[in-house]
Amino acid sequence: MWTASRWKSYEVLDASQGEKLERWGDYTLIRPDPQVIWNTEKKDSGWRHCNGHYHRSRSGGGEWEFFSLPKTWTISYDNPAFRQPLTFHLKPFSFKHTGLFPEQAVNWDWCAEKIAARTAHGGPARILNLFAYTGGATIACAAAGASVTHVDASKGMVSWAKENAASSGLSDSPVRWLVDDCRKFVEREIRRGHHYDGIIMDPPSYGRGPKGEIWKMEDNIYELVELTAQLMSDTPLFFILNAYTTGLQPGVLTYLLSTALLPKYPGIKTARVSASEIGLPVKDSGFILPCGAAGRFEV
């Protein structure tokens, strides 16, 4: 399992009975997690003295209950491959989220290290981040020296990502911030003849387009990966696909990326695909909490 173990300002303190207890900087939150199917004793005092608790509803959705939690706050993250530490703005909002997926730091590290190695020798590092959310991967890649194209369909998420970049001292970095439908953007980029050395794709499990189109990860992802693979340059660094959809196991991602990407580079003997669950260490138990899966193409 690929584990995001470098965090200092975030940690999973405990997990039990369908919930996880997390420390986000100076504040502790309790949020539901469908992976937590065990009922261990809740010994950590944070269970009784948290700053925020998201309660799931039996009919779907849920709501936050707050105890001395500010409307917004920040946490930081660093890696030797970054030119400066990253700073993220957090706030509790719809369906248990805070604006950050900490487990993705294991992918930020991997991307940043490959970018830093490439740019140290003057090589290109043009990165496309699709379904880019609040920009964790975008600013990690920018902090490592890449030029990044950040694409998300939500104007609010793109604005939030810009705030994270500014707080991280990356306002002047070569980042294009685009509010756009990811598939339509990819199709236009193909027609324009544009290419990227690295592509990051973090699509939702389910969603609807502006005209009511239904997106289901398991039904639509292969076609989108095949399409997006056309944007990969002749000097590739990586292609990352994240999956939170139940059933899309690492072996599925390995097969998908291998068939979509390896035939594109028959002359590059170092080209390979790997995939794994990603997870977060749990302080009180010493175990790892699984948080989805990721597949990686690299050379």
Side-chain angles (χ1 to χ4, degrees), residues 113-184:
E113 287 157 12
K114 295 187 79 66
I115 290 166
R118 167 72 67 86
T119 57
H121 297 92
R126 299 158 295 188
I127 308 301
L128 173 60
N129 188 11
L130 297 171
F131 307 97
Y133 196 51
T134 58
T138 293
I139 64 174
C141 291
S147 60
V148 187
T149 298
H150 173 110
V151 186
D152 196 279
S154 168
K155 183 178 180 181
M157 292 300 105
V158 174
S159 295
W160 195 336
K162 287 182 180 179
E163 291 177 10
N164 286 333
S167 297
S168 301
L170 295 165
S171 293
D172 296 329
S173 294
V175 179
R176 286 198 299 161
W177 306 99
L178 302 176
V179 179
D180 205 343
D181 177 87
C182 289
R183 181 188 177 95
K184 291 179 181 177

Side-chain angles (χ1 to χ4, degrees), residues 176-210:
R176 286 198 299 161
W177 306 99
L178 302 176
V179 179
D180 205 343
D181 177 87
C182 289
R183 181 188 177 95
K184 291 179 181 177
F185 174 79
V186 167
E187 290 171 341
R188 289 197 301 273
E189 287 291 87
I190 292 171
R191 292 195 295 269
R192 293 165 182 150
H194 291 173
H195 294 91
Y196 297 87
D197 305 301
I199 295 175
I200 301 164
M201 189 182 291
D202 198 354
S205 296
Y206 180 86
R208 287 185 179 272

Side-chain angles (χ1 to χ4, degrees), residues 18-295:
E19 297 180 311
K20 56 188 174 186
L21 174 67
E22 304 163 287
R23 178 180 66 83
W24 298 80
D26 296 329
Y27 304 99
T28 54
L29 302 179
I30 298 173
R31 299 191 297 156
D33 192 313
Q35 299 282 359
V36 182
I37 61 173
W38 47 88
N39 295 323
T40 51
E41 184 178 356
K42 295 181 175 180
K43 296 180 180 180
D44 196 296
S45 62
W47 290 111
R48 298 177 295 279
H49 304 288
C50 67
N51 298 103
H53 190 167
Y54 188 90
H55 299 278
R56 288 289 298 270
S57 169
R58 292 182 180 179
S59 59
E63 62 180 0
W64 281 99
E65 181 182 15
F66 298 121
F67 312 94
S68 302
L69 184 72
K71 291 184 177 180
T72 63
W73 72 101
T74 63
I75 62 172
S76 60
Y77 186 77
D78 202 5
N79 180 299
F82 302 156
R83 298 176 181 181
Q84 63 267 347
L86 312 181
T87 298
F88 298 102
H89 291 263
L90 305 176
K91 61 182 176 182
F93 73 113
S94 61
F95 191 62
K96 78 179 181 181
H97 296 307
T98 62
L100 192 67
F101 292 98
E103 64 273 10
Q104 284 300 320
V106 71
N107 282 328
W108 306 341
D109 291 342
W110 185 80
C111 292
E113 287 157 12
K114 295 187 79 66
I115 290 166
R118 167 72 67 86
T119 57
H121 297 92
R126 299 158 295 188
I127 308 301
L128 173 60
N129 188 11
L130 297 171
F131 307 97
Y133 196 51
T134 58
T138 293
I139 64 174
C141 291
S147 60
V148 187
T149 298
H150 173 110
V151 186
D152 196 279
S154 168
K155 183 178 180 181
M157 292 300 105
V158 174
S159 295
W160 195 336
K162 287 182 180 179
E163 291 177 10
N164 286 333
S167 297
S168 301
L170 295 165
S171 293
D172 296 329
S173 294
V175 179
R176 286 198 299 161
W177 306 99
L178 302 176
V179 179
D180 205 343
D181 177 87
C182 289
R183 181 188 177 95
K184 291 179 181 177
F185 174 79
V186 167
E187 290 171 341
R188 289 197 301 273
E189 287 291 87
I190 292 171
R191 292 195 295 269
R192 293 165 182 150
H194 291 173
H195 294 91
Y196 297 87
D197 305 301
I199 295 175
I200 301 164
M201 189 182 291
D202 198 354
S205 296
Y206 180 86
R208 287 185 179 272
K211 296 182 180 179
E213 311 95 323
I214 294 177
W215 162 273
K216 288 184 68 175
M217 179 84 162
E218 58 270 37
D219 293 340
N220 303 113
I221 189 59
Y222 184 73
E223 182 184 2
L224 183 58
V225 170
E226 266 197 321
L227 186 71
T228 307
Q230 296 180 49
L231 295 178
M232 291 291 286
S233 74
D234 293 333
T235 56
L237 270 173
F238 56 75
F239 190 118
I240 291 183
L241 174 62
N242 288 301
Y244 290 92
T245 303
T246 302
L248 290 187
Q249 301 174 10
V252 175
L253 299 181
T254 299
Y255 203 115
L256 189 159
L257 292 178
S258 295
T259 56
L261 287 159
L262 289 179
K264 185 177 174 64
Y265 299 100
I268 301 181
K269 302 302 182 184
T270 56
R272 68 186 189 96
V273 170
S274 58
S276 175
E277 286 187 278
I278 57 175
L280 290 161
V282 180
K283 179 183 177 183
D284 286 2
S285 68
F287 300 137
I288 303 296
L289 178 66
C291 304

